[in-house]
Structure formats: C-alpha cells, structure tokens
Amino acid sequence: MFGNQKGPQQPGSLSASANGKPSSVALLSIVGDRARLEGKFDIADSIQVECEVGGELTVGGKLVIGEKGIVNANVQTVDAIIMGHYGGNMIATGNVEITGTGRVTGNITTDSLVISKGGFFNGNVSKMNEQSNGQRPVYLVEDNRTAQLSGQR
C-alpha cells in the first residue's frame, strides 16, 4: 500500500527546491486512481498523494498533493505543494504553494503562501505566530529567515 520511493523520482513527482535543483528528499508516495484512504496519519518524512485521502494528516516534511490527489483533511506540515484538490484547515510552519492546477478550499496558517496563475484559493489565510490583537512580535536579532520574510537582505 505504502512505498518509500528512493532513487530517481518520476517526472513531476516532486517540485524543484528553492535553488531550482531537484530535491533529494525521500518521498513516501500514495498512488491509485481509485484508492481512498480515511483516518489519522502521522508521517515522519515527506509524502506525495495521488489518490483520495480524508481525516487528519501530520507530516514531518513536505506534503505534495499531485494533480490526481484529493485531500479532505486537517493537515499539519512543514511545507506543502498543492497541484490537486485540498479541502480543510492547514497549518504549515514553512511554505505553501498552490500551483496553476491546484484547488484549495479552507483555511491556511503559514508564513509564506504562493498562488500561481491559474491556482484557486477560497478561504482564509493567517500568518504564523501573529498575535490575536493583530500586532506582530518584535525580534531584536534579525536572521536570514526574518530578512527574507520582510523582503530585506
């Protein structure tokens, strides 16, 4: 049912990393045109979904919802790339990308959301670690990550 895919990735199975080179992350793949999984899943690494999944997902790496993937679940992940359909509430501590074929209905909490031309998003987005009164926390030391978020270098 589950296969840990090591070695060469299938074309389009995992997007390039931020520097434009293919990522070498081992990717657990769930594939099946008619497969439907329901339940609570705790995945330590990255996962690619090319079937229908419902319930709850906790992913320790990157969640990739392929073009044939349909995920209706509450998700906690580091990064997410959505090329298929997603519905639910997502908390991503890293980056979320909705590609041109991606369709999202639900709420996303993240520091970085990118919606490519043609991508669809219907819901609310909120920034990680933003206080309920709308004020952002003040940091005394600026590291590379906060510099990138603020657009400075």
CSV table of all heavy atoms in Angstrom, one decimal, residues 48-77:
chain,number,residue,atom,x,y,z
A,48,GLN,N,3.9,12.2,-1.0
A,48,GLN,CA,3.1,12.6,-2.2
A,48,GLN,C,1.9,11.9,-2.3
A,48,GLN,O,1.9,10.6,-2.2
A,48,GLN,CB,4.0,12.4,-3.4
A,48,GLN,CG,3.2,12.8,-4.7
A,48,GLN,CD,4.0,12.7,-5.9
A,48,GLN,OE1,5.3,12.6,-5.9
A,48,GLN,NE2,3.4,12.9,-7.1
A,49,VAL,N,0.7,12.6,-2.5
A,49,VAL,CA,-0.6,11.9,-2.5
A,49,VAL,C,-1.1,12.0,-3.9
A,49,VAL,O,-1.2,13.1,-4.5
A,49,VAL,CB,-1.5,12.6,-1.5
A,49,VAL,CG1,-2.9,12.0,-1.6
A,49,VAL,CG2,-1.0,12.5,-0.1
A,50,GLU,N,-1.4,10.9,-4.6
A,50,GLU,CA,-2.0,10.8,-5.9
A,50,GLU,C,-3.3,10.0,-5.8
A,50,GLU,O,-3.6,9.2,-6.7
A,50,GLU,CB,-1.0,10.2,-6.9
A,50,GLU,CG,0.2,11.1,-7.2
A,50,GLU,CD,-0.1,12.2,-8.1
A,50,GLU,OE1,-1.2,12.4,-8.6
A,50,GLU,OE2,0.8,13.0,-8.3
A,51,CYS,N,-4.0,10.1,-4.7
A,51,CYS,CA,-5.3,9.4,-4.6
A,51,CYS,C,-6.2,10.3,-3.7
A,51,CYS,O,-5.9,11.4,-3.5
A,51,CYS,CB,-5.1,8.0,-4.0
A,51,CYS,SG,-4.4,8.0,-2.3
A,52,GLU,N,-7.2,9.7,-3.1
A,52,GLU,CA,-8.1,10.5,-2.2
A,52,GLU,C,-7.8,10.1,-0.8
A,52,GLU,O,-7.8,8.9,-0.4
A,52,GLU,CB,-9.6,10.2,-2.5
A,52,GLU,CG,-10.5,11.1,-1.8
A,52,GLU,CD,-12.0,10.9,-2.2
A,52,GLU,OE1,-12.2,10.3,-3.3
A,52,GLU,OE2,-12.9,11.4,-1.5
A,53,VAL,N,-7.6,11.1,0.1
A,53,VAL,CA,-7.2,10.9,1.5
A,53,VAL,C,-8.1,11.8,2.3
A,53,VAL,O,-8.3,13.0,2.0
A,53,VAL,CB,-5.7,11.3,1.7
A,53,VAL,CG1,-5.4,11.2,3.2
A,53,VAL,CG2,-4.8,10.3,1.0
A,54,GLY,N,-8.7,11.3,3.4
A,54,GLY,CA,-9.5,12.1,4.3
A,54,GLY,C,-9.1,11.8,5.7
A,54,GLY,O,-8.5,10.8,6.0
A,55,GLY,N,-9.4,12.8,6.6
A,55,GLY,CA,-9.2,12.6,8.0
A,55,GLY,C,-8.2,13.6,8.6
A,55,GLY,O,-8.5,14.8,8.4
A,56,GLU,N,-7.1,13.2,9.1
A,56,GLU,CA,-6.1,14.1,9.7
A,56,GLU,C,-4.7,13.6,9.2
A,56,GLU,O,-4.4,12.4,9.2
A,56,GLU,CB,-6.1,14.0,11.2
A,56,GLU,CG,-7.3,14.6,11.8
A,56,GLU,CD,-7.2,14.6,13.4
A,56,GLU,OE1,-6.1,14.7,13.9
A,56,GLU,OE2,-8.3,14.4,14.0
A,57,LEU,N,-3.9,14.6,8.8
A,57,LEU,CA,-2.5,14.3,8.4
A,57,LEU,C,-1.5,15.1,9.2
A,57,LEU,O,-1.7,16.4,9.2
A,57,LEU,CB,-2.3,14.7,6.9
A,57,LEU,CG,-2.8,13.7,5.8
A,57,LEU,CD1,-2.7,14.3,4.5
A,57,LEU,CD2,-2.0,12.4,5.8
A,58,THR,N,-0.5,14.5,9.7
A,58,THR,CA,0.6,15.2,10.3
A,58,THR,C,1.8,14.8,9.6
A,58,THR,O,2.1,13.6,9.5
A,58,THR,CB,0.7,14.9,11.8
A,58,THR,OG1,-0.5,15.2,12.5
A,58,THR,CG2,1.9,15.6,12.4
A,59,VAL,N,2.5,15.7,8.9
A,59,VAL,CA,3.6,15.4,8.0
A,59,VAL,C,4.8,16.2,8.5
A,59,VAL,O,4.8,17.4,8.7
A,59,VAL,CB,3.3,15.9,6.6
A,59,VAL,CG1,4.5,15.5,5.7
A,59,VAL,CG2,2.0,15.2,6.1
A,60,GLY,N,5.9,15.4,8.8
A,60,GLY,CA,7.1,16.0,9.3
A,60,GLY,C,8.0,16.7,8.3
A,60,GLY,O,8.9,17.4,8.6
A,61,GLY,N,7.7,16.5,7.0
A,61,GLY,CA,8.4,17.2,5.9
A,61,GLY,C,7.5,17.9,5.0
A,61,GLY,O,6.7,18.8,5.4
A,62,LYS,N,7.6,17.6,3.7
A,62,LYS,CA,6.8,18.3,2.7
A,62,LYS,C,5.6,17.4,2.3
A,62,LYS,O,5.7,16.2,2.0
A,62,LYS,CB,7.6,18.5,1.5
A,62,LYS,CG,6.9,19.3,0.4
A,62,LYS,CD,7.8,19.5,-0.8
A,62,LYS,CE,8.9,20.6,-0.5
A,62,LYS,NZ,9.7,21.0,-1.6
A,63,LEU,N,4.4,18.0,2.2
A,63,LEU,CA,3.2,17.4,1.7
A,63,LEU,C,3.1,17.8,0.2
A,63,LEU,O,3.0,19.0,0.0
A,63,LEU,CB,2.0,17.8,2.5
A,63,LEU,CG,0.6,17.4,1.9
A,63,LEU,CD1,0.5,15.9,1.8
A,63,LEU,CD2,-0.5,18.0,2.6
A,64,VAL,N,3.1,16.8,-0.7
A,64,VAL,CA,2.8,17.1,-2.1
A,64,VAL,C,1.5,16.5,-2.5
A,64,VAL,O,1.4,15.3,-2.4
A,64,VAL,CB,4.0,16.6,-3.0
A,64,VAL,CG1,3.7,16.9,-4.4
A,64,VAL,CG2,5.3,17.2,-2.5
A,65,ILE,N,0.6,17.3,-2.9
A,65,ILE,CA,-0.7,16.8,-3.4
A,65,ILE,C,-0.6,16.9,-4.9
A,65,ILE,O,-0.6,17.9,-5.5
A,65,ILE,CB,-1.9,17.6,-2.9
A,65,ILE,CG1,-1.9,17.5,-1.3
A,65,ILE,CG2,-3.2,17.0,-3.4
A,65,ILE,CD1,-3.0,18.4,-0.7
A,66,GLY,N,-0.5,15.7,-5.5
A,66,GLY,CA,-0.3,15.6,-7.0
A,66,GLY,C,-1.6,16.0,-7.7
A,66,GLY,O,-2.6,16.2,-7.1
A,67,GLU,N,-1.5,16.2,-9.0
A,67,GLU,CA,-2.6,16.6,-9.8
A,67,GLU,C,-3.8,15.7,-9.7
A,67,GLU,O,-5.0,16.1,-9.8
A,67,GLU,CB,-2.2,16.7,-11.3
A,67,GLU,CG,-1.3,17.9,-11.5
A,67,GLU,CD,-1.0,18.2,-13.0
A,67,GLU,OE1,-1.8,17.7,-13.9
A,67,GLU,OE2,0.0,18.8,-13.3
A,68,LYS,N,-3.6,14.4,-9.4
A,68,LYS,CA,-4.7,13.5,-9.3
A,68,LYS,C,-5.1,13.3,-7.8
A,68,LYS,O,-6.0,12.6,-7.5
A,68,LYS,CB,-4.3,12.1,-9.8
A,68,LYS,CG,-4.1,12.1,-11.3
A,68,LYS,CD,-3.8,10.7,-11.8
A,68,LYS,CE,-3.6,10.7,-13.3
A,68,LYS,NZ,-3.2,9.4,-13.8
A,69,GLY,N,-4.4,14.0,-6.9
A,69,GLY,CA,-4.6,13.9,-5.5
A,69,GLY,C,-5.8,14.7,-5.0
A,69,GLY,O,-6.0,15.9,-5.5
A,70,ILE,N,-6.6,14.2,-4.1
A,70,ILE,CA,-7.7,14.9,-3.4
A,70,ILE,C,-7.5,14.6,-1.9
A,70,ILE,O,-7.6,13.5,-1.5
A,70,ILE,CB,-9.1,14.3,-3.9
A,70,ILE,CG1,-9.2,14.5,-5.4
A,70,ILE,CG2,-10.2,15.0,-3.1
A,70,ILE,CD1,-10.4,13.8,-6.0
A,71,VAL,N,-7.3,15.7,-1.2
A,71,VAL,CA,-7.1,15.6,0.3
A,71,VAL,C,-8.2,16.4,1.0
A,71,VAL,O,-8.2,17.7,0.7
A,71,VAL,CB,-5.7,16.0,0.7
A,71,VAL,CG1,-5.6,16.0,2.2
A,71,VAL,CG2,-4.6,15.2,0.1
A,72,ASN,N,-9.0,15.8,1.7
A,72,ASN,CA,-10.0,16.5,2.6
A,72,ASN,C,-9.7,16.1,4.0
A,72,ASN,O,-10.1,15.1,4.5
A,72,ASN,CB,-11.4,16.0,2.2
A,72,ASN,CG,-11.8,16.5,0.8
A,72,ASN,OD1,-11.8,17.6,0.5
A,72,ASN,ND2,-12.2,15.5,0.0
A,73,ALA,N,-8.8,16.9,4.6
A,73,ALA,CA,-8.3,16.6,5.9
A,73,ALA,C,-7.7,17.8,6.6
A,73,ALA,O,-7.4,18.8,5.9
A,73,ALA,CB,-7.2,15.6,5.8
A,74,ASN,N,-7.7,17.8,7.9
A,74,ASN,CA,-6.9,18.8,8.6
A,74,ASN,C,-5.5,18.4,8.6
A,74,ASN,O,-5.1,17.2,8.9
A,74,ASN,CB,-7.4,18.9,10.1
A,74,ASN,CG,-8.8,19.5,10.1
A,74,ASN,OD1,-9.2,20.3,9.3
A,74,ASN,ND2,-9.6,19.0,11.1
A,75,VAL,N,-4.6,19.3,8.2
A,75,VAL,CA,-3.2,19.0,8.0
A,75,VAL,C,-2.3,19.9,8.8
A,75,VAL,O,-2.5,21.1,8.9
A,75,VAL,CB,-2.9,19.2,6.5
A,75,VAL,CG1,-1.4,19.1,6.2
A,75,VAL,CG2,-3.6,18.2,5.6
A,76,GLN,N,-1.2,19.2,9.4
A,76,GLN,CA,-0.1,20.0,10.0
A,76,GLN,C,1.1,19.5,9.2
A,76,GLN,O,1.4,18.3,9.2
A,76,GLN,CB,0.0,19.7,11.5
A,76,GLN,CG,-1.1,20.3,12.3
A,76,GLN,CD,-0.9,20.2,13.8
A,76,GLN,OE1,0.1,19.5,14.2
A,76,GLN,NE2,-1.7,20.9,14.5
A,77,THR,N,1.9,20.4,8.7
A,77,THR,CA,3.0,20.1,7.9
A,77,THR,C,4.1,21.1,8.0
A,77,THR,O,3.8,22.2,8.5
A,77,THR,CB,2.6,19.8,6.4
A,77,THR,OG1,3.8,19.3,5.7
A,77,THR,CG2,2.1,21.0,5.7
